[in-house]
Amino acid sequence: MPTHRPYPYPSDSQRAASSELAPHLEELRAALIQQRCFRLEQLRELARMPVKHSPPDLPRDEVTACLRTAAAAALLDIEAALDRLVNGGYGRCEHCRYAIALERLEILPMARMCMRCQREKESRSPR
C-alpha cells in the first residue's frame, strides 16, 4: 500500500515542482477558460435540442441526456480547477498532496489527482 504524507506541508521536491509549474499557470488558465467556453456553448446547444420528438426517439433522447450530464460534470471540474488556481491549490494532488506532473496538467488541465492516485482510485472503483 502506498505511503501518503499525513500533512499538507510541501517538501523541498514539492516546492521545486510548484516553481516549475509557475511559468505555465497563465497558459493552463487560458486552456481552462477555453474549455469552460466550449462546455458552456455545448450545454446551450444541447438545451436547444428538443427532448420530445414525434414519433418519440428514445435512443436520441437518451444520448442527449448523457451528453448534457457529461458536459455539466466537465464544467464543474473546470470551475473547480479555476477555483484551485485562485486559491493556490492548483497542481497539487487532492489525495496525496504531491505535485501533479506538468505533462498531465497540459493534457488535462482540470486534473485533481496525480497519475498514481488516479490509478489507485480507478482500480478500487467497481466497473
Side-chain angles (χ1 to χ4, degrees), residues 69-97:
T69 300
L75 183 59
L76 286 175
D77 287 344
I78 293 163
E79 295 292 347
L82 287 166
D83 286 345
R84 289 191 302 277
L85 263 171
V86 170
N87 297 323
Y90 185 77
R92 183 113 5 246
C93 178
E94 290 184 354
H95 184 73
C96 71
R97 304 301 301 154

PDB file of all heavy atoms in Angstrom, residues 69-97:
ATOM      1  N   THR A  69     -25.359  15.529 -19.164  1.00  0.00           N
ATOM      2  CA  THR A  69     -24.787  15.153 -17.869  1.00  0.00           C
ATOM      3  C   THR A  69     -23.265  15.227 -17.904  1.00  0.00           C
ATOM      4  O   THR A  69     -22.634  15.775 -16.997  1.00  0.00           O
ATOM      5  CB  THR A  69     -25.254  13.734 -17.473  1.00  0.00           C
ATOM      6  OG1 THR A  69     -26.684  13.739 -17.383  1.00  0.00           O
ATOM      7  CG2 THR A  69     -24.664  13.298 -16.151  1.00  0.00           C
ATOM      8  N   ALA A  70     -22.667  14.685 -18.961  1.00  0.00           N
ATOM      9  CA  ALA A  70     -21.198  14.683 -19.083  1.00  0.00           C
ATOM     10  C   ALA A  70     -20.655  16.104 -19.229  1.00  0.00           C
ATOM     11  O   ALA A  70     -19.640  16.455 -18.619  1.00  0.00           O
ATOM     12  CB  ALA A  70     -20.769  13.822 -20.266  1.00  0.00           C
ATOM     13  N   ALA A  71     -21.322  16.934 -20.020  1.00  0.00           N
ATOM     14  CA  ALA A  71     -20.868  18.317 -20.212  1.00  0.00           C
ATOM     15  C   ALA A  71     -20.979  19.106 -18.912  1.00  0.00           C
ATOM     16  O   ALA A  71     -20.085  19.883 -18.570  1.00  0.00           O
ATOM     17  CB  ALA A  71     -21.673  18.992 -21.325  1.00  0.00           C
ATOM     18  N   ALA A  72     -22.056  18.895 -18.161  1.00  0.00           N
ATOM     19  CA  ALA A  72     -22.225  19.592 -16.884  1.00  0.00           C
ATOM     20  C   ALA A  72     -21.158  19.141 -15.883  1.00  0.00           C
ATOM     21  O   ALA A  72     -20.604  19.973 -15.149  1.00  0.00           O
ATOM     22  CB  ALA A  72     -23.627  19.338 -16.332  1.00  0.00           C
ATOM     23  N   ALA A  73     -20.852  17.843 -15.860  1.00  0.00           N
ATOM     24  CA  ALA A  73     -19.811  17.340 -14.953  1.00  0.00           C
ATOM     25  C   ALA A  73     -18.449  17.911 -15.332  1.00  0.00           C
ATOM     26  O   ALA A  73     -17.664  18.306 -14.462  1.00  0.00           O
ATOM     27  CB  ALA A  73     -19.782  15.810 -14.986  1.00  0.00           C
ATOM     28  N   ALA A  74     -18.160  17.955 -16.629  1.00  0.00           N
ATOM     29  CA  ALA A  74     -16.886  18.525 -17.093  1.00  0.00           C
ATOM     30  C   ALA A  74     -16.795  20.000 -16.713  1.00  0.00           C
ATOM     31  O   ALA A  74     -15.738  20.475 -16.285  1.00  0.00           O
ATOM     32  CB  ALA A  74     -16.743  18.337 -18.599  1.00  0.00           C
ATOM     33  N   LEU A  75     -17.888  20.711 -16.850  1.00  0.00           N
ATOM     34  CA  LEU A  75     -17.903  22.133 -16.488  1.00  0.00           C
ATOM     35  C   LEU A  75     -17.631  22.313 -14.991  1.00  0.00           C
ATOM     36  O   LEU A  75     -16.867  23.208 -14.604  1.00  0.00           O
ATOM     37  CB  LEU A  75     -19.237  22.768 -16.878  1.00  0.00           C
ATOM     38  CG  LEU A  75     -19.368  24.263 -16.635  1.00  0.00           C
ATOM     39  CD1 LEU A  75     -18.300  25.050 -17.391  1.00  0.00           C
ATOM     40  CD2 LEU A  75     -20.762  24.739 -17.026  1.00  0.00           C
ATOM     41  N   LEU A  76     -18.203  21.469 -14.166  1.00  0.00           N
ATOM     42  CA  LEU A  76     -17.928  21.536 -12.722  1.00  0.00           C
ATOM     43  C   LEU A  76     -16.443  21.290 -12.433  1.00  0.00           C
ATOM     44  O   LEU A  76     -15.845  21.973 -11.594  1.00  0.00           O
ATOM     45  CB  LEU A  76     -18.779  20.517 -11.972  1.00  0.00           C
ATOM     46  CG  LEU A  76     -20.258  20.857 -11.825  1.00  0.00           C
ATOM     47  CD1 LEU A  76     -21.001  19.690 -11.167  1.00  0.00           C
ATOM     48  CD2 LEU A  76     -20.457  22.132 -11.035  1.00  0.00           C
ATOM     49  N   ASP A  77     -15.841  20.320 -13.123  1.00  0.00           N
ATOM     50  CA  ASP A  77     -14.405  20.048 -12.943  1.00  0.00           C
ATOM     51  C   ASP A  77     -13.557  21.248 -13.359  1.00  0.00           C
ATOM     52  O   ASP A  77     -12.571  21.589 -12.702  1.00  0.00           O
ATOM     53  CB  ASP A  77     -13.980  18.819 -13.748  1.00  0.00           C
ATOM     54  CG  ASP A  77     -14.470  17.518 -13.152  1.00  0.00           C
ATOM     55  OD1 ASP A  77     -14.873  17.500 -11.964  1.00  0.00           O
ATOM     56  OD2 ASP A  77     -14.451  16.498 -13.876  1.00  0.00           O
ATOM     57  N   ILE A  78     -13.939  21.891 -14.447  1.00  0.00           N
ATOM     58  CA  ILE A  78     -13.210  23.064 -14.938  1.00  0.00           C
ATOM     59  C   ILE A  78     -13.328  24.218 -13.946  1.00  0.00           C
ATOM     60  O   ILE A  78     -12.332  24.867 -13.602  1.00  0.00           O
ATOM     61  CB  ILE A  78     -13.726  23.471 -16.338  1.00  0.00           C
ATOM     62  CG1 ILE A  78     -13.359  22.396 -17.363  1.00  0.00           C
ATOM     63  CG2 ILE A  78     -13.185  24.836 -16.747  1.00  0.00           C
ATOM     64  CD1 ILE A  78     -14.146  22.486 -18.665  1.00  0.00           C
ATOM     65  N   GLU A  79     -14.536  24.464 -13.463  1.00  0.00           N
ATOM     66  CA  GLU A  79     -14.752  25.530 -12.481  1.00  0.00           C
ATOM     67  C   GLU A  79     -13.963  25.260 -11.203  1.00  0.00           C
ATOM     68  O   GLU A  79     -13.374  26.183 -10.620  1.00  0.00           O
ATOM     69  CB  GLU A  79     -16.241  25.687 -12.165  1.00  0.00           C
ATOM     70  CG  GLU A  79     -17.091  26.161 -13.331  1.00  0.00           C
ATOM     71  CD  GLU A  79     -16.809  27.597 -13.752  1.00  0.00           C
ATOM     72  OE1 GLU A  79     -16.129  28.349 -13.010  1.00  0.00           O
ATOM     73  OE2 GLU A  79     -17.278  27.978 -14.839  1.00  0.00           O
ATOM     74  N   ALA A  80     -13.927  24.005 -10.770  1.00  0.00           N
ATOM     75  CA  ALA A  80     -13.167  23.652  -9.567  1.00  0.00           C
ATOM     76  C   ALA A  80     -11.676  23.905  -9.785  1.00  0.00           C
ATOM     77  O   ALA A  80     -10.982  24.384  -8.882  1.00  0.00           O
ATOM     78  CB  ALA A  80     -13.415  22.192  -9.189  1.00  0.00           C
ATOM     79  N   ALA A  81     -11.169  23.592 -10.978  1.00  0.00           N
ATOM     80  CA  ALA A  81      -9.760  23.835 -11.283  1.00  0.00           C
ATOM     81  C   ALA A  81      -9.459  25.331 -11.282  1.00  0.00           C
ATOM     82  O   ALA A  81      -8.415  25.764 -10.767  1.00  0.00           O
ATOM     83  CB  ALA A  81      -9.391  23.208 -12.622  1.00  0.00           C
ATOM     84  N   LEU A  82     -10.353  26.128 -11.836  1.00  0.00           N
ATOM     85  CA  LEU A  82     -10.159  27.585 -11.819  1.00  0.00           C
ATOM     86  C   LEU A  82     -10.172  28.110 -10.384  1.00  0.00           C
ATOM     87  O   LEU A  82      -9.389  28.998 -10.046  1.00  0.00           O
ATOM     88  CB  LEU A  82     -11.229  28.270 -12.676  1.00  0.00           C
ATOM     89  CG  LEU A  82     -11.050  28.093 -14.189  1.00  0.00           C
ATOM     90  CD1 LEU A  82     -12.313  28.503 -14.934  1.00  0.00           C
ATOM     91  CD2 LEU A  82      -9.843  28.861 -14.686  1.00  0.00           C
ATOM     92  N   ASP A  83     -11.028  27.547  -9.536  1.00  0.00           N
ATOM     93  CA  ASP A  83     -11.032  27.926  -8.114  1.00  0.00           C
ATOM     94  C   ASP A  83      -9.710  27.565  -7.453  1.00  0.00           C
ATOM     95  O   ASP A  83      -9.171  28.338  -6.661  1.00  0.00           O
ATOM     96  CB  ASP A  83     -12.183  27.234  -7.368  1.00  0.00           C
ATOM     97  CG  ASP A  83     -13.540  27.833  -7.683  1.00  0.00           C
ATOM     98  OD1 ASP A  83     -13.598  28.949  -8.245  1.00  0.00           O
ATOM     99  OD2 ASP A  83     -14.551  27.168  -7.370  1.00  0.00           O
ATOM    100  N   ARG A  84      -9.176  26.377  -7.776  1.00  0.00           N
ATOM    101  CA  ARG A  84      -7.884  25.974  -7.195  1.00  0.00           C
ATOM    102  C   ARG A  84      -6.774  26.914  -7.659  1.00  0.00           C
ATOM    103  O   ARG A  84      -5.853  27.205  -6.889  1.00  0.00           O
ATOM    104  CB  ARG A  84      -7.548  24.521  -7.569  1.00  0.00           C
ATOM    105  CG  ARG A  84      -8.432  23.505  -6.867  1.00  0.00           C
ATOM    106  CD  ARG A  84      -7.931  22.080  -7.024  1.00  0.00           C
ATOM    107  NE  ARG A  84      -7.783  21.609  -8.385  1.00  0.00           N
ATOM    108  CZ  ARG A  84      -8.768  21.110  -9.138  1.00  0.00           C
ATOM    109  NH1 ARG A  84      -9.990  21.014  -8.649  1.00  0.00           N
ATOM    110  NH2 ARG A  84      -8.533  20.693 -10.365  1.00  0.00           N
ATOM    111  N   LEU A  85      -6.858  27.401  -8.879  1.00  0.00           N
ATOM    112  CA  LEU A  85      -5.869  28.370  -9.374  1.00  0.00           C
ATOM    113  C   LEU A  85      -5.902  29.630  -8.521  1.00  0.00           C
ATOM    114  O   LEU A  85      -4.860  30.164  -8.150  1.00  0.00           O
ATOM    115  CB  LEU A  85      -6.160  28.724 -10.833  1.00  0.00           C
ATOM    116  CG  LEU A  85      -5.372  27.981 -11.890  1.00  0.00           C
ATOM    117  CD1 LEU A  85      -5.931  28.277 -13.272  1.00  0.00           C
ATOM    118  CD2 LEU A  85      -3.916  28.316 -11.833  1.00  0.00           C
ATOM    119  N   VAL A  86      -7.091  30.109  -8.226  1.00  0.00           N
ATOM    120  CA  VAL A  86      -7.247  31.334  -7.433  1.00  0.00           C
ATOM    121  C   VAL A  86      -6.811  31.112  -5.985  1.00  0.00           C
ATOM    122  O   VAL A  86      -6.162  31.965  -5.386  1.00  0.00           O
ATOM    123  CB  VAL A  86      -8.720  31.819  -7.491  1.00  0.00           C
ATOM    124  CG1 VAL A  86      -8.979  32.930  -6.493  1.00  0.00           C
ATOM    125  CG2 VAL A  86      -9.082  32.260  -8.891  1.00  0.00           C
ATOM    126  N   ASN A  87      -7.153  29.953  -5.435  1.00  0.00           N
ATOM    127  CA  ASN A  87      -6.902  29.682  -4.021  1.00  0.00           C
ATOM    128  C   ASN A  87      -5.550  29.044  -3.725  1.00  0.00           C
ATOM    129  O   ASN A  87      -5.248  28.773  -2.567  1.00  0.00           O
ATOM    130  CB  ASN A  87      -8.020  28.795  -3.455  1.00  0.00           C
ATOM    131  CG  ASN A  87      -9.361  29.489  -3.519  1.00  0.00           C
ATOM    132  OD1 ASN A  87      -9.447  30.687  -3.310  1.00  0.00           O
ATOM    133  ND2 ASN A  87     -10.397  28.746  -3.836  1.00  0.00           N
ATOM    134  N   GLY A  88      -4.755  28.769  -4.754  1.00  0.00           N
ATOM    135  CA  GLY A  88      -3.415  28.248  -4.535  1.00  0.00           C
ATOM    136  C   GLY A  88      -3.274  26.744  -4.461  1.00  0.00           C
ATOM    137  O   GLY A  88      -2.193  26.242  -4.195  1.00  0.00           O
ATOM    138  N   GLY A  89      -4.330  25.986  -4.688  1.00  0.00           N
ATOM    139  CA  GLY A  89      -4.230  24.534  -4.621  1.00  0.00           C
ATOM    140  C   GLY A  89      -4.033  23.861  -5.970  1.00  0.00           C
ATOM    141  O   GLY A  89      -3.917  22.633  -6.050  1.00  0.00           O
ATOM    142  N   TYR A  90      -3.987  24.665  -7.024  1.00  0.00           N
ATOM    143  CA  TYR A  90      -3.884  24.092  -8.364  1.00  0.00           C
ATOM    144  C   TYR A  90      -2.537  23.394  -8.557  1.00  0.00           C
ATOM    145  O   TYR A  90      -1.498  23.891  -8.130  1.00  0.00           O
ATOM    146  CB  TYR A  90      -4.040  25.186  -9.428  1.00  0.00           C
ATOM    147  CG  TYR A  90      -4.059  24.639 -10.828  1.00  0.00           C
ATOM    148  CD1 TYR A  90      -5.201  24.035 -11.328  1.00  0.00           C
ATOM    149  CD2 TYR A  90      -2.935  24.703 -11.636  1.00  0.00           C
ATOM    150  CE1 TYR A  90      -5.228  23.523 -12.617  1.00  0.00           C
ATOM    151  CE2 TYR A  90      -2.957  24.186 -12.924  1.00  0.00           C
ATOM    152  CZ  TYR A  90      -4.105  23.594 -13.405  1.00  0.00           C
ATOM    153  OH  TYR A  90      -4.129  23.075 -14.672  1.00  0.00           O
ATOM    154  N   GLY A  91      -2.584  22.232  -9.203  1.00  0.00           N
ATOM    155  CA  GLY A  91      -1.358  21.495  -9.499  1.00  0.00           C
ATOM    156  C   GLY A  91      -0.916  20.578  -8.374  1.00  0.00           C
ATOM    157  O   GLY A  91       0.125  19.940  -8.457  1.00  0.00           O
ATOM    158  N   ARG A  92      -1.718  20.485  -7.333  1.00  0.00           N
ATOM    159  CA  ARG A  92      -1.408  19.640  -6.188  1.00  0.00           C
ATOM    160  C   ARG A  92      -2.479  18.554  -6.113  1.00  0.00           C
ATOM    161  O   ARG A  92      -3.669  18.845  -6.199  1.00  0.00           O
ATOM    162  CB  ARG A  92      -1.423  20.497  -4.931  1.00  0.00           C
ATOM    163  CG  ARG A  92      -1.053  19.782  -3.730  1.00  0.00           C
ATOM    164  CD  ARG A  92       0.232  20.144  -3.039  1.00  0.00           C
ATOM    165  NE  ARG A  92       1.015  21.241  -3.504  1.00  0.00           N
ATOM    166  CZ  ARG A  92       2.232  21.082  -4.038  1.00  0.00           C
ATOM    167  NH1 ARG A  92       2.738  19.896  -4.224  1.00  0.00           N
ATOM    168  NH2 ARG A  92       2.948  22.119  -4.404  1.00  0.00           N
ATOM    169  N   CYS A  93      -2.071  17.310  -5.969  1.00  0.00           N
ATOM    170  CA  CYS A  93      -2.992  16.176  -5.882  1.00  0.00           C
ATOM    171  C   CYS A  93      -3.886  16.324  -4.656  1.00  0.00           C
ATOM    172  O   CYS A  93      -3.398  16.588  -3.553  1.00  0.00           O
ATOM    173  CB  CYS A  93      -2.204  14.870  -5.819  1.00  0.00           C
ATOM    174  SG  CYS A  93      -3.239  13.406  -5.642  1.00  0.00           S
ATOM    175  N   GLU A  94      -5.172  16.175  -4.846  1.00  0.00           N
ATOM    176  CA  GLU A  94      -6.117  16.300  -3.736  1.00  0.00           C
ATOM    177  C   GLU A  94      -6.036  15.122  -2.771  1.00  0.00           C
ATOM    178  O   GLU A  94      -6.550  15.210  -1.669  1.00  0.00           O
ATOM    179  CB  GLU A  94      -7.545  16.446  -4.264  1.00  0.00           C
ATOM    180  CG  GLU A  94      -7.785  17.772  -4.929  1.00  0.00           C
ATOM    181  CD  GLU A  94      -9.219  17.960  -5.380  1.00  0.00           C
ATOM    182  OE1 GLU A  94     -10.033  17.017  -5.287  1.00  0.00           O
ATOM    183  OE2 GLU A  94      -9.523  19.071  -5.831  1.00  0.00           O
ATOM    184  N   HIS A  95      -5.389  14.053  -3.186  1.00  0.00           N
ATOM    185  CA  HIS A  95      -5.287  12.880  -2.318  1.00  0.00           C
ATOM    186  C   HIS A  95      -3.973  12.861  -1.537  1.00  0.00           C
ATOM    187  O   HIS A  95      -3.973  12.870  -0.320  1.00  0.00           O
ATOM    188  CB  HIS A  95      -5.451  11.602  -3.137  1.00  0.00           C
ATOM    189  CG  HIS A  95      -5.459  10.363  -2.322  1.00  0.00           C
ATOM    190  ND1 HIS A  95      -6.515  10.006  -1.533  1.00  0.00           N
ATOM    191  CD2 HIS A  95      -4.525   9.412  -2.152  1.00  0.00           C
ATOM    192  CE1 HIS A  95      -6.236   8.884  -0.913  1.00  0.00           C
ATOM    193  NE2 HIS A  95      -5.038   8.501  -1.269  1.00  0.00           N
ATOM    194  N   CYS A  96      -2.847  12.857  -2.258  1.00  0.00           N
ATOM    195  CA  CYS A  96      -1.546  12.721  -1.582  1.00  0.00           C
ATOM    196  C   CYS A  96      -0.854  14.064  -1.344  1.00  0.00           C
ATOM    197  O   CYS A  96       0.133  14.126  -0.628  1.00  0.00           O
ATOM    198  CB  CYS A  96      -0.625  11.804  -2.380  1.00  0.00           C
ATOM    199  SG  CYS A  96      -0.031  12.515  -3.937  1.00  0.00           S
ATOM    200  N   ARG A  97      -1.368  15.137  -1.972  1.00  0.00           N
ATOM    201  CA  ARG A  97      -0.840  16.495  -1.842  1.00  0.00           C
ATOM    202  C   ARG A  97       0.485  16.726  -2.570  1.00  0.00           C
ATOM    203  O   ARG A  97       1.058  17.789  -2.469  1.00  0.00           O
ATOM    204  CB  ARG A  97      -0.702  16.922  -0.371  1.00  0.00           C
ATOM    205  CG  ARG A  97      -1.976  16.820   0.443  1.00  0.00           C
ATOM    206  CD  ARG A  97      -3.121  17.643  -0.066  1.00  0.00           C
ATOM    207  NE  ARG A  97      -2.773  19.052  -0.112  1.00  0.00           N
ATOM    208  CZ  ARG A  97      -3.324  19.934  -0.933  1.00  0.00           C
ATOM    209  NH1 ARG A  97      -4.244  19.557  -1.777  1.00  0.00           N
ATOM    210  NH2 ARG A  97      -2.965  21.186  -0.924  1.00  0.00           N
TER     211      ARG A  97
END
